[in-house]
Amino acid sequence: MEAADMGTDLQQVLISREEIESRLDDMAERIDADYAGEDLLLVGVLKGAVYVMADLSRRLRRSAPMDWMAVSSYGSGTKSSGVVRILKDLDTDLTGRHVLIVEDIIDSGLTLSWLLGNLSSRGAASVEIATLLRKPEAMKVEVDVKYVGFDIPNEFVVGYGLDYAEQYRNLPFIGLLKPEVYEN
């Protein structure tokens, strides 16, 4: 799916496919250097992080097993409720492992703050965060993020794993939807 396939739903392309690819290359290089010789486990947050996790992990120059969690604080809306529910837990024991949470986007930070505490309590050697996108203006709690692809404005974005009502995840770029698409 490309921008032209969205008809009149797209307001603008915010971050191109090429910009995403370049930034993921940079992030992978830093991760490789920072975790050299360490037992690293990538933990993706479903469903949005699928694209980021797949592309970031393929850029690493090391073996890095991955596991997945599904947590929800959104339901089908566009704003976080702040109440976190685990929909799918990890299959991997974190004891002694260096865990890198891979996220698509950080909005309020509420869900991620909860997730950091939860995973840290499981005996991990360390728990850090890598995210493709962060909205500094939307942050409600301070969350230390080790790897950030892009800081973006507090706008509703789709593409590259991010959705609106399960649509637009497969866009190869980050785009802004026209507000009339999601404000009905």
Side-chain angles (χ1 to χ4, degrees), residues 44-55 68-71 102-105 131-133 158-163 166 168-171 174:
V45 182
L46 295 170
K47 299 177 188 171
V50 168
Y51 292 82
V52 178
M53 175 80 105
D55 288 349
W68 298 92
M69 281 189 87
V71 296
V102 179
E103 269 282 27
D104 53 351
I105 190 166
T131 187
L132 180 63
L133 305 172
V158 295
Y160 208 76
L162 297 155
D163 74 300
E166 295 299 326
Y168 311 108
R169 283 190 198 279
N170 60 327
L171 294 171
I174 303 297

Side-chain angles (χ1 to χ4, degrees), residues 46-138:
L46 295 170
K47 299 177 188 171
V50 168
Y51 292 82
V52 178
M53 175 80 105
D55 288 349
L56 180 64
S57 68
R58 282 192 296 254
R59 285 169 164 77
L60 295 174
R61 296 186 177 273
R62 55 168 302 132
S63 178
M66 60 178 76
D67 201 347
W68 298 92
M69 281 189 87
V71 296
S72 177
S73 66
Y74 281 83
S76 62
T78 61
K79 298 246 190 292
S80 175
S81 69
V83 177
V84 179
R85 295 181 313 137
I86 295 177
L87 305 175
K88 185 233 176 273
D89 207 347
L90 297 174
D91 298 321
T92 307
D93 179 9
L94 302 185
T95 305
R97 307 284 299 266
H98 293 276
V99 175
L100 182 61
I101 300 170
V102 179
E103 269 282 27
D104 53 351
I105 190 166
I106 300 172
D107 282 305
S108 69
L110 294 169
T111 301
L112 200 50
S113 176
W114 179 88
L115 189 58
L116 274 170
N118 181 286
L119 297 184
S120 295
S121 73
R122 298 183 191 197
S126 68
V127 180
E128 300 287 351
I129 302 164
T131 187
L132 180 63
L133 305 172
R134 176 177 62 184
K135 294 181 180 179
E137 296 169 15

